[in-house]
Amino acid sequence: MSRLVLPVLLLLFFCSFAHAATPKYFALGEPVLDMTGGDVAIQIPISVDSVEGLRDMLKDGAIMELSITAKLLRVRGFLPNLTLSEQVFASPLRHNPLTREFSLTMPGAEQAIVDKNLTRLVAATWQKLQFSLGPTSLMTEPDSEYRIVLDFSLRHTEVPPWLAKAFL
């Protein structure tokens, strides 16, 4: 019995550190819908609950990607909702160990945004997200209900080099 107690306690001890550092959810700010200028645009401030955990994962070699799928739907009674517009937003985030800088690529940008401070980088980019869902002419039905559906994910895009090695 005593032989099992020490390994189990060590396993629980190390698992608690690995589990506590990973980001678990997004904190969404108040979304702003802008329909001026003939375009449906949405602005969504996004922050991660554990910037320290994200920083640790990036420094360990992970490449993370924030992926957002936004759909503009026309709600129909008995028929399935009609998708009027769908936009996919992908923003990869990585760490360069040589320069000790974090780089984040925004869609449509020619160059990555680079900063040594991850908190400041996320505040300057993901907390100011804005993208278009298409022209307002898509919403032509006068008495119809329209809905915007957002799907968020933050995931590994590549396996870190230290994890790709086979352990025997």
Side-chain angles (χ1 to χ4, degrees):
M1 175 83 173
S2 64
R3 287 183 177 177
L4 288 175
V5 173
L6 183 61
V8 169
L9 288 176
L10 286 174
L11 180 66
L12 290 173
F13 177 74
F14 287 117
C15 286
S16 67
F17 282 113
H19 185 65
T22 58
K24 294 183 178 120
Y25 64 88
F26 296 105
L28 299 177
E30 188 173 326
V32 176
L33 183 65
D34 183 17
M35 295 179 56
T36 59
D39 200 31
V40 179
I42 188 165
Q43 182 177 359
I44 309 162
I46 299 173
S47 59
V48 181
D49 68 328
S50 174
V51 176
E52 296 80 19
L54 184 59
R55 180 182 301 112
D56 292 342
M57 289 173 26
L58 293 167
K59 285 186 175 182
D60 285 341
I63 299 173
M64 303 299 289
E65 181 178 75
L66 173 66
S67 178
I68 303 172
T69 303
K71 294 180 185 179
L72 177 61
L73 306 173
R74 183 171 49 134
V75 178
R76 300 193 286 186
F78 295 108
L79 298 173
N81 294 340
L82 179 64
T83 302
L84 301 174
S85 173
E86 182 173 348
Q87 298 294 324
V88 178
F89 173 89
S91 178
L93 175 62
R94 65 188 69 208
H95 179 258
N96 185 339
L98 296 176
T99 61
R100 296 181 182 175
E101 293 177 325
F102 297 96
S103 66
L104 190 141
T105 306
M106 297 293 281
E110 293 183 16
Q111 291 185 345
I113 302 165
V114 179
D115 198 332
K116 289 187 183 233
N117 186 327
L118 181 61
T119 305
R120 190 172 49 223
L121 181 63
V122 168
T125 53
W126 290 352
Q127 290 182 356
K128 297 179 182 179
L129 283 181
Q130 183 173 355
F131 49 95
S132 173
L133 292 173
T136 54
S137 61
L138 292 172
M139 300 185 291
T140 56
E141 300 289 324
D143 293 331
S144 292
E145 178 183 336
Y146 295 94
R147 187 174 294 160
I148 296 174
V149 178
L150 302 168
D151 181 31
F152 298 89
S153 68
L154 181 64
R155 60 182 177 82
H156 288 272
T157 57
E158 297 176 13
V159 177
W162 57 270
L163 189 59
K165 297 178 183 175
F167 296 104
L168 297 175

